[in-house]
Amino acid sequence: MMGELEELQSLLHQPLEEEYLPEIKDWFLSILRRDILANIGPSFWELISSNTEQSEEEDVSGFVSAMNVLFAKLRPYMDVADHLSKKRELFEEMKPSDDATGFQVKVQTVIRALLLHRTTAKFQSCVQGFYRKAFWSFHGNKPSNSSTILNNSDGAISNSSDVKMDETLDEEENSVWETKGTGDNIMEGYGSNITEHFHRINKNLYTTGLLERVCGEAVTSIIHVRIEEFVEERCKGEFEQSFIKDLEQWLNTQVMGWLRTIFDGDQGETSSGQSSSQTLSKWNERLTYFLYQTYAKLRIRELFNIIVEYPDSHPALEDLKESLRKTDLRSRLIQSLRVAMETRLLHPGVNTSDILTQYVSSIRALQVLDSTGVILELVCEPVRSYLRTRDDTVRCIVSSLTDEGNSDLADELAKSNPLNIHEGQGADDGEEEGDPFKWEPDPVDADPGQKLSSQRSSDILSMLVNIYGSRELFVNEYRSLLADRILTHFNFDTDREVRNLELLKLRFGESQLHHCEVMLKDVADSRRCNANIKSAKGGKKDVDDKENKEETQEQEEEDENVDDDLPDGGKRENLDFKAMILSAQFWPNLKEEKLSLHSKVQTQLDKYTKSYEALKATRTLFWKPNLGQVTLELELKDRTVSLAVSPLHATIIMHFEEKEKWTIQELSGVMQVPSTTLRRKIAFWQSQGLLKEDPTDCFTLVEEDSGRGSKEGADEVIIESDDETESATASTQSQTLHVFWSYIEGMLTNLNSLPIERIHAMLKMFAMPGPATSEISEHELKLFLDKKVKEQELIFSGGFYKLPKADGQL
């Protein structure tokens, strides 16, 4: 082959006619093809695959040697091709489409097609190692000895090997690395020599048209790994600052700077002219996209934590928003965040208040990412569905809204915008009709069956209410919560509740909260009535009349003095009563527990009733003895005890004023309280050291505490147990199930017996039309029916529930 090439070279030094030029080029290409297939290609691949199981340094050294041998064999052909394209007299009358560049491209295409039509894994490994070493040499660091790049804290590369590369290069001869030493000291001082080999090989690869084909995949892989590592090192867990600009600057200086040395040559010398700029521009576009994609994937993985730390994490959300604009990762974000919500948030181990806090943060954070609300709607649908299954969701929302300690939702309540509930027209509809030029279509991933973006509310309170889609449910829960606050603490100062009510009226409407207005008015009226009765001592005074029959909730504030010689000569002062007078039809259902109060307390209640009847000639009072608060001061032989308890607890200890020992059966008969309930309440006095059980079911008053020592006679304030903070109202679920009981009785009367599944299905069909009752699950219904079985109001047999037969019924 070399003889033919030499013959062709000598021919080119002679004057040629234009008509012989095509034949000469065809002859040249024919020689080149045959030589690559017979000689150049096989010898090159033999050098690449000759040494197996070598270290990376040896592979790189072998790769450089093989490439230099290849270039030495191709150099004569490239010289001839260059000579043909530069021999101006041969191309003066050629057509523009058949210029010198076109012929060089054809030569490069032949070399690339025949030499690299397929590569081996060994070749790819050698190329990867060579360019990886060059990459870290460019950045002033040493790569690791293995194929995996390991970064330390400052981004440098850890390597215990010392490498030396000794170049013996001749421009006319092939150049190789001479390795010295063995083991880890194969090459020394490779930093400068690797750079020289790097530029020389890149220049030769470009000349032969092999540059992109050889290094494209390896360079892409190396840069991608480095981008992923750099983004992870710099940005992971840091949410309070923006990184996009810094990352772009790093890419343009560190990464693109290295790529310029590949395609532009050393020291800024451009070997490829305009095509190099175009190539670099394409690389920059691809790597910028990969940078944004890598950053977006990192932030998507951390999005749950970003939401937890909002608003401190606002810069990270802005960066992610920008990344989503340049990448196609919206669906990945939605899927990833939904999974994170379901696995980390939606399970029984998380408190409802914590779920609501994360839901509110999600609303605010995801509105930064997507102002249309589509991402929020798709991601938070499982959260809304799960919250609907929790019994305390509505109460937690209402409590947070009216709790000044929860500044986030309290601020939301202070907004005067009316609620935008899905059942009605949204507040944004009018704005859309007034300015149609601001309309924008929903994103492609929006659910066409849901509301348009212009109709989606960005108001957090509206979204919380839309969990159930019912104003009435939230108003009823606030009504129960207000009743609890009033009746549990018996505080006649309602300024805070009046403020909350006025704010709620702005959001829910005045008509919805009329009952709550009456409840607060009852508190004010009760305060005036108590003052009038106390001052007049049964005389008549002018007070505000009510139009409806009134039901009374008692508050007992009692100063009880127990002398040292109890129970024989105990002395008791008069009891001071204050009553909370309630309008029955405006208050939620109150707990009903049977209790017979101590005779001395009942006497005071009767006196109060007569005084009230004297003030309200046409009205009377019906007491709720189980509800109230009693302030006691007990004087024992060695100490004084002051505490606030429930009427039931107070009644228990008052009976021990009459005698020191009571059996559980005796107290149960006197107080008309079930023995199981009574034992649970007595346990409180046992925990305070005032009662002891000896023997079983027999309780004795403890006058002296032998363990007090020097503290004898000292005052002691005891805080009541959690049992005393129970709700004064029946739960919403209990009220709902109580309403269902009449339906269930009718079903079983007509159909004799039914399984739980059939009962639940029929209730959903006929008795659960709204969202307020749709939360009653089959399991909750079963618990209710089992309770009725224990109360002997139902019979359960063979998986079927039925009513018990009446006396005399067959």
Side-chain angles (χ1 to χ4, degrees), residues 212 219-220 223-224 227 247-260 263 276-293 326:
E212 288 256 16
V219 169
T220 300
I223 294 177
H224 282 186
I227 288 176
L247 291 175
E248 287 182 339
Q249 183 178 2
W250 171 82
L251 181 70
N252 291 328
T253 56
Q254 300 295 318
V255 178
M256 292 306 301
W258 182 61
L259 284 177
R260 292 186 190 97
F263 295 102
S276 174
S277 299
Q278 295 174 351
T279 302
L280 287 172
S281 177
K282 292 178 181 178
W283 273 90
N284 188 45
E285 291 178 3
R286 293 198 300 267
L287 294 179
T288 300
Y289 177 84
F290 183 79
L291 177 69
Y292 275 96
Q293 186 182 60
K326 299 186 178 182

Side-chain angles (χ1 to χ4, degrees), residues 136-150:
W136 291 109
S137 176
F138 175 82
H139 291 93
N141 301 307
K142 290 186 178 182
S144 63
N145 194 34
S146 64
S147 59
T148 303
I149 303 176
L150 301 175

Side-chain angles (χ1 to χ4, degrees), residues 447-714:
D447 186 353
Q450 299 296 328
K451 298 173 72 67
L452 299 175
S453 59
S454 59
Q455 297 174 334
R456 295 188 187 96
S457 174
S458 60
D459 177 59
I460 292 177
L461 181 54
S462 296
M463 292 185 179
L464 292 174
V465 174
N466 280 330
I467 292 176
Y468 292 91
S470 169
R471 298 172 190 258
E472 181 182 357
L473 183 63
F474 281 81
V475 170
N476 289 340
E477 189 60 43
Y478 173 68
R479 184 175 160 218
S480 297
L481 181 65
L482 180 61
D484 268 347
R485 288 177 176 173
I486 294 173
L487 301 182
T488 302
H489 302 292
F490 287 92
N491 186 359
F492 288 90
D493 183 7
T494 58
D495 291 343
R496 172 186 167 191
E497 298 300 338
V498 170
R499 173 185 176 276
N500 289 335
L501 179 61
E502 292 302 319
L503 292 174
L504 287 169
K505 284 163 65 176
L506 294 175
R507 306 303 298 273
F508 289 89
E510 293 193 16
S511 60
Q512 297 275 350
L513 293 161
H514 175 64
H515 285 64
C516 299
E517 284 187 287
V518 175
M519 291 167 63
L520 292 178
K521 186 174 183 296
D522 284 344
V523 176
D525 291 345
S526 299
R527 180 172 51 200
R528 288 194 295 271
C529 185
N530 286 325
N532 290 339
I533 290 177
K534 185 175 182 180
S535 61
K537 295 183 179 180
K540 292 186 179 180
K541 291 183 67 97
D542 293 335
V543 295
D544 295 335
D545 290 334
K546 299 184 185 295
E547 296 180 356
N548 304 301
K549 182 181 179 180
E550 298 175 33
E551 179 180 338
T552 301
Q553 163 64 43
E554 137 194 22
Q555 178 195 14
E556 303 174 17
E557 292 186 351
E558 215 177 283
D559 292 329
E560 178 180 356
N561 298 314
V562 183
D563 290 342
D564 293 345
D565 55 351
L566 284 177
D568 299 325
K571 178 183 178 182
R572 173 180 295 279
E573 298 179 357
N574 290 332
L575 304 180
D576 180 23
F577 284 94
K578 290 182 181 178
M580 189 76 73
I581 304 170
L582 316 178
S583 302
Q585 63 269 41
F586 292 97
W587 285 70
N589 294 334
L590 302 179
K591 281 186 176 180
E592 296 285 350
E593 292 180 5
K594 194 172 183 181
L595 173 63
S596 177
L597 296 172
H598 194 277
S599 58
K600 294 181 180 180
V601 176
Q602 188 62 48
T603 300
Q604 296 296 324
L605 295 182
D606 294 340
K607 291 180 180 179
Y608 190 98
T609 302
K610 291 179 181 179
S611 299
Y612 180 81
E613 290 174 347
L615 287 174
K616 304 278 188 176
T618 61
R619 308 243 194 285
T620 189
L621 300 177
F622 298 94
W623 297 95
K624 296 284 186 181
N626 60 303
L627 299 177
Q629 188 179 71
V630 183
T631 302
L632 294 175
E633 184 174 301
L634 305 177
E635 293 183 359
L636 303 172
K637 288 183 178 181
D638 62 344
R639 64 197 185 279
T640 299
V641 180
S642 298
L643 68 166
V645 296
S646 68
L648 197 155
H649 282 97
T651 304
I652 292 173
I653 202 64
M654 288 173 67
H655 280 294
F656 280 89
E657 181 183 5
E658 300 171 358
K659 65 178 184 177
E660 290 184 347
K661 286 188 177 182
W662 287 85
T663 65
I664 199 76
Q665 291 79 12
E666 290 174 340
L667 270 179
S668 177
V670 171
M671 296 174 58
Q672 298 183 10
V673 175
S675 58
T676 54
T677 303
L678 191 60
R679 173 174 286 278
R680 190 173 68 252
K681 300 297 182 180
I682 289 177
F684 167 74
W685 292 115
Q686 288 180 277
S687 67
Q688 304 303 326
L690 295 177
L691 296 179
K692 67 178 180 179
E693 184 177 10
D694 184 28
T696 303
D697 291 341
C698 184
F699 295 90
T700 305
L701 179 67
V702 179
E703 288 276 4
E704 293 184 84
D705 186 357
S706 58
R708 289 182 54 83
S710 62
K711 295 183 180 180
E712 183 175 351

Side-chain angles (χ1 to χ4, degrees), residues 20 25 39 86 91 128 196 246 250 297 350 354 358 418 451 475 506 509 517 524 538 562 597 617 680 716 728 736:
Y20 297 114
K25 290 195 292 185
N39 180 27
K86 289 182 178 180
F91 297 92
Q128 186 92 4
E196 295 175 7
D246 293 340
W250 171 82
K297 288 179 179 179
V350 183
D354 295 332
Q358 181 71 355
K451 298 173 72 67
V475 170
L506 294 175
E517 284 187 287
V562 183
L597 296 172
R680 190 173 68 252
E716 182 179 357
T736 304

